[in-house]
Amino acid sequence: MTDSPDDGDRDWFGTGEPTEASGIVGEYMTLRRGAEADVLAMQMGDFYEFFGEDAELVGEELDLKVSQRSSGGESYSMAGVPVDDLAPYLKALVERGYRVAVADQHPVDDGHERRVDRVVTPGTLLDPTGDDAQYLATLVRDGDTVGLAFLDVTTGRFHATAISGPDAEARALTECYRFAPTEVLPGPDARTDEALVERLRERSDARLTLHDAEAFAPGRARHILGEQFGDGATESVGLDTDAAVRAAGAALGYVAETGAGALASVSRLRTYVPDDHVALDATTQRNLELTEPMTGNGRSLFAVLDHTETSAGRRLLREWLGRPRRDRAELERRQGAVAALAADAMARDAVRETLDGTYDLERLASRTASGSAGPDALLRVRETLAALPALVETVEGSPRLADSAVADRFADLDREGARKVREELAAALTDDPPNSLTAGGLVRPEYDDDLAELVGRHDEAAEWIDTLAEREQREHDLTHLSVGRNRTDGYYIQVGKSEADDVPDHYEAIKTLKNSERFVTDELAEREREIMRLEEERGDLEAGVFRELRSWVGERADLLQAVGRAFAELDTLCSLAEHAVRNDWTRPELTDDDVLDLRAARHPVVEQSVEFVPNDLQLDRDRRFLLVTGPNMSGKSTYMRQAALVTLLAQVGSFVPAREARVGLVDGVYTRVGALDELAGGRSTFMVEMQELSNILHNATEDSLVVLDEVGRGTATHDGISIAWAATEWLSSAQATAPSPKVLFATHYHELTMLADHIDTVENVHVAADEQDGDVTFLRTVRDGAADRSYGIHVAELAGVPDPVVERSREVLRRLRDEEAIDVRGSEDEVTGESKQVVFDLGSGQFRGQASADGGEGETVDPVTESVLEELQGVDVEDTSPVELLSQVQEWQRRLDD
Ligand code: ADP
Ligand code: MG
């Protein structure tokens, strides 16, 4: 037998049998196919081996040594890890998205057999590395209803829902994005829909697993749900559609089939209504940088806001930010708690300090229930539960907290049950247990009568040995005598060289050292055997007691999860309070009125790094659509995002960065950034921009908030203006075909600002900039009205561009606007002295040559062109609506084309 993974001649069977490599590879492939795994780890004696492509893959991913073998003329790759080291490799592979099967070797009558006992997948890993939730998602389509279930085996969280209606699929995908699952199982009718599968792939990094279609059958799903939660459970939690039942059942069935014991922690299923959440699609989440920054050096809202003390708190804060709510009662409950925690700094500090010493109880509960928790995990459960009375005391000791939702949250917990678990653990486990279950010293002797007796006998034997040296010294008159123990010699009596010849006859010499001699006696050997026997018995007994204790605690997983959840919530609320206090945020008034009224509001992330100039913002029934103009870099994007972020923060239950805020609850926030402004790169084509715009035009309701940042910029000027124009009309209900959401629209298409004169609900605001001592200053102050449109030329002047150039720019600009002919200076004809003239053609977005005024040489004008030109010159631009203008230009173009 060898113990080095590099050694070529492994005894694969642990039995000394000869190996048959090609047969082995065949067996490997068969097992691998049967398990539908990406990778198979197959036990062969003391190693788990990978063959062929799998070996190459683990070699690459995990830096394992790959060797080449050949057998019967065929060559193949092979890599392996010692049996005891598999766990970390397995985890690393699964966290990279692979589905890994493990085939263990089992003894049978005539040798051994191998079978796949467990499959570890990205959605069912019990002890992932990070703190993030790890959801397994199932998605079932049933007519026009989509059933969804999300299960996190690491915490036992399990949610299911059904979405129906014409846009059910889009909403389901949004839900999927929100939960950010690590693995998705599309049901039989979802997976055949290539477009759907494609969109699932696009929207997440999740692994798509095509699980057995049978598992999605309603009967089977209902059965497994009944087994897990009891008969009638589906009705009692309100799972009333087949689609939701099928999704939930399939998720459970899948976890059961992977064989990792992860189901034990799933004690409750919650149904939820997605409509209770603010619609927040993937692009919006990304644009607003809620949990991830768009660029490497940016900071997400989450990163700025996070002052949590625990990993469960961090997980929950992230979850809250990703799913703002519409339920005013719940939000006000959270606000009340944040307010109380913000007001009582002493209590808040005490709470945070206590939480700092706690562990992730939700995850510990899962590991306990699945039987994978070791002694240190149960100690952590004990320590964390010990924080409960301390927290209750703090809460009750603070009049503010005692009167808030925080106190209610703790009142709902089964504190008596938690106390029992903690006391049981305290009574059973020693304070510094060994990591091995059988090493002894894990369980307190007084906890178990048999153990107490065993330990008593062990102590007696140990005492006999402890006092042996003294007795022997006295009896045999040997001063240099001691008793010791080591691995090879066991217990021995050691006597110094000078006295070695004086030992009694019954001393049996076993070893000679430089200055001493070692002996044993029959009696000592007898005692040694007894001690060994007792130690072994004790180890077995303690391990048994521990396992029993662990399953007793595991049966209370839902209690532990509830306490863990309450701690996480408290941590999250404290974090929000802490941030509010440090940054002078206020409690927003939440209302069902259709308003967004912010006084002296700031951008929560930008205010961290610059001296921020606060701004007001008002949107209501009559003022629903703000066209935001202003020079580049003046703060348009920041102003609009800050409105979206304040709204979202308010709907998380947080305080907000403003002096005063009144926030009408929205059903969705949609943001889009024009392709040119899109930083994310890669995807930023005009096509994507338009797809996203289309999505908003379809989905935004009158209760939504829409932020459009330079939309339409990714194409030729006049296409862009036209699209932006029409979208504005549509979203402001000027076309009366759709209810109008609240909209903020930043645009550099100045032409749009005139819409404010014609559509009642559209208003212009601009970010002011000013000139002081020859420098351009961005005031960052938002004012009513449109920006000065010749601002760019103004900047050129300030920058010292020569006067004639500035003057000429003004002239060209005026002519461009009025679509007058512009003479091209420097093109003067040598003979006539006339210059060429061009007109900026609104239709094509290009300059077009034009005859000089007197129709001079070289330029003959046909009658059609002449008539068009005449009409063009006759148009009073101020008095013609842009739409009319557009259609007129189209008409001219048609005539010129003919
Ligand atoms: P725009 O969209 O008009 O080009 P941005 O919103 O991107 O401008 O803002 C440009 C820069 O100005 C940002 O980097 C931001 O830090 C800063 N800024 C924006 N608004 C403010 C403000 N109200 N107070 C202070 N700095 C601001
Ligand atoms: Mg911008």
Side-chain angles (χ1 to χ4, degrees):
M1 293 250 270
T2 65
D3 58 6
S4 151
D6 296 338
D7 196 308
D9 295 307
R10 292 173 199 160
D11 179 356
W12 281 344
F13 305 98
T15 56
E17 285 173 52
T19 61
E20 279 179 37
S22 55
I24 290 294
V25 175
E27 179 184 359
Y28 183 86
M29 292 306 166
T30 308
L31 285 171
R32 187 179 180 282
R33 260 194 309 277
E36 292 180 353
D38 299 329
V39 181
L40 172 72
M42 183 165 89
Q43 188 187 3
M44 303 184 81
D46 290 341
F47 287 85
Y48 281 104
E49 304 286 0
F50 304 90
F51 290 99
E53 285 175 9
D54 288 13
E56 302 290 344
L57 183 119
V58 296
E60 184 133 316
E61 294 274 10
L62 307 179
D63 232 3
L64 274 182
K65 191 183 160 195
V66 181
S67 54
Q68 294 302 318
R69 299 301 172 94
S70 59
S71 158
E74 269 185 80
S75 101
Y76 56 91
S77 313
M78 180 177 153
V81 292
V83 164
D84 290 339
D85 295 347
L86 180 68
Y89 287 106
L90 201 61
K91 184 155 123 180
L93 278 174
V94 172
E95 290 190 336
R96 285 171 169 81
Y98 297 104
R99 181 182 149 95
V100 188
V102 181
D104 292 315
Q105 189 172 296
H106 301 277
V108 288
D109 282 350
D110 51 348
H112 64 270
E113 65 173 24
R114 298 191 190 85
R115 56 170 188 265
V116 173
D117 296 307
R118 60 203 162 107
V119 180
V120 189
T121 77
T124 59
L125 189 63
L126 263 174
D127 58 338
T129 313
D131 300 336
D132 291 352
Q134 176 199 275
Y135 280 106
L136 167 74
T138 49
L139 187 150
V140 173
R141 226 179 23 195
D142 200 346
D144 64 354
T145 302
V146 180
L148 289 169
F150 300 94
L151 171 57
D152 179 353
V153 297
T154 71
T155 58
R157 301 269 188 99
F158 190 17
H159 313 271
T161 193
I163 302 177
S164 35
D167 57 346
E169 199 174 290
R171 284 161 61 215
L173 286 168
T174 295
E175 276 307 294
C176 246
Y177 184 80
R178 253 191 237 272
F179 276 96
T182 49
E183 185 172 4
V184 179
L185 315 180
D189 26 11
R191 76 178 62 150
T192 48
D193 179 342
E194 275 172 32
L196 177 67
V197 170
E198 188 50 40
R199 287 169 72 191
L200 268 175
R201 271 190 219 287
E202 253 174 36
R203 283 181 187 227
S204 78
D205 305 327
R207 183 206 152 81
L208 280 190
T209 302
L210 301 185
H211 184 48
D212 193 4
E214 286 289 291
F216 293 87
R220 178 127 153 220
R222 225 171 265 282
H223 176 72
I224 189 166
L225 285 166
E227 284 203 329
Q228 183 77 9
F229 303 114
D231 290 335
T234 53
E235 285 74 26
S236 63
V237 298
L239 263 194
D240 46 9
T241 62
D242 254 13
V245 167
R246 289 171 58 203
L252 274 187
Y254 183 69
V255 173
E257 262 178 48
T258 59
L263 268 198
S265 72
V266 186
S267 54
R268 243 194 295 181
L269 167 63
R270 286 162 218 263
T271 45
Y272 76 102
V273 188
D275 288 349
D276 179 38
H277 299 121
V278 177
L280 212 54
D281 55 37
T283 316
T284 301
Q285 296 213 20
R286 212 181 57 217
N287 278 340
L288 292 177
E289 308 186 290
L290 293 182
T291 53
E292 301 295 333
M294 283 214 278
T295 57
N297 48 11
R299 278 183 90 190
S300 69
L301 180 64
F302 170 75
V304 164
L305 225 55
D306 178 21
H307 307 284
T308 56
E309 299 288 346
T310 68
S311 49
R314 251 186 314 279
R315 200 161 56 229
L316 187 63
L317 177 61
R318 200 188 282 272
E319 183 189 310
W320 279 9
L321 287 179
R323 39 178 69 248
R325 305 281 299 264
R326 295 165 63 188
D327 173 349
R328 188 138 69 91
E330 167 64 12
L331 292 174
E332 282 172 351
R333 198 185 67 81
R334 290 184 193 173
Q335 281 191 334
V338 173
L341 286 163
D344 191 337
M346 287 244 288
R348 186 173 75 246
D349 286 348
V351 165
R352 295 182 69 206
E353 201 170 311
T354 308
L355 285 173
D356 192 24
T358 65
Y359 299 92
D360 197 335
L361 207 48
E362 287 178 289
R363 285 209 170 159
L364 287 167
S366 275
R367 290 178 50 205
T368 307
S370 67
S372 65
D376 57 333
L378 285 198
L379 270 195
R380 287 174 173 189
V381 170
R382 181 179 100 191
E383 273 175 56
T384 305
L385 287 177
L388 181 55
L391 288 172
V392 168
E393 196 176 314
T394 308
V395 169
E396 283 172 355
S398 155
R400 281 206 165 88
L401 289 183
D403 214 24
S404 77
V406 176
D408 302 341
R409 193 70 181 76
F410 281 90
D412 289 346
L413 291 176
D414 175 6
R415 275 145 64 178
E416 187 51 28
R419 189 180 58 80
K420 273 208 196 104
V421 173
R422 175 172 51 87
E423 284 177 357
E424 195 70 18
L425 287 170
L429 298 179
T430 56
D431 290 331
D432 190 14
N435 232 339
S436 147
L437 300 193
T438 52
L442 169 62
V443 178
R444 291 182 198 276
E446 59 274 25
Y447 182 69
D448 183 277
D449 288 346
D450 293 344
L451 182 63
E453 204 231 285
L454 208 58
V455 171
R457 274 158 55 202
H458 182 269
D459 285 350
E460 222 170 85
E463 164 78 13
W464 184 88
I465 291 206
D466 283 349
T467 54
L468 178 63
E470 200 187 312
R471 276 196 313 270
E472 297 292 299
Q473 281 172 5
R474 214 172 334 110
E475 203 168 310
H476 308 295
D477 201 20
L478 299 165
T479 18
H480 302 291
L481 180 147
S482 60
V483 170
R485 183 190 198 182
N486 70 19
R487 243 190 205 293
T488 43
D489 302 333
Y491 284 105
Y492 54 80
I493 296 170
Q494 187 161 309
V495 181
K497 266 265 149 60
S498 57
E499 294 176 332
D501 294 338
D502 307 334
V503 301
D505 290 348
H506 68 279
Y507 273 33
E508 185 192 332
I510 54 164
K511 195 179 241 173
T512 305
L513 302 169
K514 199 168 159 221
N515 296 314
S516 58
E517 192 90 17
R518 278 184 191 167
F519 305 90
V520 288
T521 66
D522 286 348
E523 203 182 8
L524 180 56
E526 170 62 29
R527 289 290 181 169
E528 175 171 5
R529 279 193 295 277
E530 187 191 354
I531 284 180
M532 304 263 276
R533 205 174 53 239
L534 290 171
E535 280 178 351
E536 199 180 312
E537 266 180 60
R538 178 177 179 175
D540 289 348
L541 188 60
E542 287 193 2
V545 170
F546 180 85
R547 289 200 183 94
E548 215 169 284
L549 179 70
R550 180 171 62 195
S551 64
W552 180 83
V553 176
E555 282 160 22
R556 284 150 189 80
D558 57 341
L559 166 64
L560 302 189
Q561 283 163 354
V563 175
R565 172 91 188 177
F567 284 10
E569 231 180 276
L570 187 56
D571 194 12
T572 305
L573 291 165
C574 268
S575 176
L576 292 176
E578 184 72 25
H579 194 80
V581 170
R582 287 193 203 175
N583 295 279
D584 201 17
W585 286 15
T586 49
R587 177 177 181 160
E589 181 194 336
L590 303 178
T591 158
D592 295 324
D593 294 348
D594 191 8
V595 298
L596 179 60
D597 190 349
L598 309 180
R599 300 299 155 95
R602 286 110 55 198
H603 188 295
V605 178
V606 178
E607 76 164 337
Q608 296 291 318
S609 51
V610 301
E611 190 65 39
F612 201 87
V613 180
N615 271 305
D616 297 347
L617 184 141
Q618 276 113 325
L619 287 167
D620 54 39
R621 276 250 158 248
D622 304 323
R623 183 186 155 97
R624 299 191 72 62
F625 194 119
L626 296 187
L627 274 165
V628 185
T629 44
N632 245 345
M633 289 301 283
S634 61
K636 300 183 294 297
S637 300
T638 308
Y639 179 69
M640 298 194 303
R641 273 156 208 243
Q642 128 194 352
L645 289 172
V646 166
T647 303
L648 289 179
L649 281 169
Q651 293 192 237
V652 160
S654 170
F655 282 22
V656 299
R659 198 179 61 230
E660 262 177 67
R662 232 177 126 229
V663 179
L665 298 181
V666 301
D667 66 358
V669 172
Y670 300 88
T671 70
R672 287 303 177 277
V673 180
L676 279 189
D677 267 21
E678 167 83 69
L679 297 167
R683 270 164 41 90
S684 58
T685 64
F686 183 64
M687 181 63 179
V688 171
E689 184 186 325
M690 286 302 108
Q691 278 169 351
E692 294 185 345
L693 177 64
S694 136
N695 176 44
I696 293 182
L697 298 182
H698 281 298
N699 290 312
T701 75
E702 61 186 321
D703 292 325
S704 310
L705 176 66
V706 174
V707 169
L708 300 175
D709 198 346
E710 306 278 13
V711 164
R713 195 168 170 181
T715 184
T717 312
H718 292 91
D719 282 8
I721 294 183
S722 319
I723 292 164
W725 186 288
T728 302
E729 288 178 346
W730 175 279
L731 285 171
S732 61
S733 274
Q735 287 188 337
T737 40
S740 73
K742 293 193 273 290
V743 183
L744 291 163
F745 189 172
T747 182
H748 70 293
Y749 292 133
H750 217 277
E751 293 77 356
L752 294 189
T753 57
M754 73 172 69
L755 283 174
D757 299 336
H758 302 290
I759 306 173
D760 287 347
T761 53
V762 177
E763 304 284 339
N764 287 316
V765 297
H766 69 281
V767 191
D770 205 359
E771 176 241 317
Q772 270 161 22
D773 306 328
D775 284 331
V776 189
T777 314
F778 292 130
L779 298 180
R780 315 283 189 211
T781 306
V782 177
R783 296 181 182 152
D784 280 347
D788 173 6
R789 56 190 296 189
S790 62
Y791 183 83
I793 295 177
H794 183 57
V795 172
E797 186 178 15
L798 292 172
V801 172
D803 282 350
V805 177
V806 172
E807 284 310 310
R808 175 64 177 154
S809 319
R810 289 221 162 92
E811 167 69 8
V812 171
L813 178 67
R814 189 188 61 73
R815 286 178 166 269
L816 278 177
R817 264 189 221 153
D818 298 348
E819 284 160 54
E820 284 176 18
I822 306 166
D823 55 309
V824 183
R825 293 193 180 163
S827 69
E828 287 81 8
D829 189 283
E830 279 171 30
V831 184
T832 62
E834 299 278 347
S835 64
K836 293 233 172 89
Q837 296 206 321
V838 292
V839 166
F840 189 68
D841 180 349
L842 197 63
S844 69
Q846 281 165 354
F847 285 100
R848 187 158 47 75
Q850 193 192 30
S852 46
D854 67 349
E857 267 186 43
E859 299 263 15
T860 46
V861 180
D862 68 79
V864 179
T865 308
E866 200 162 70
S867 71
V868 170
L869 285 176
E870 236 171 56
E871 283 178 44
L872 179 71
Q873 260 155 352
V875 171
D876 183 349
V877 177
E878 294 301 317
D879 240 339
T880 315
S881 87
V883 178
E884 258 173 70
L885 212 55
L886 274 174
S887 69
Q888 220 157 46
V889 172
Q890 270 165 353
E891 160 71 2
W892 291 329
Q893 275 184 310
R894 194 190 51 72
R895 271 157 54 192
L896 288 170
D897 281 348
D898 284 345

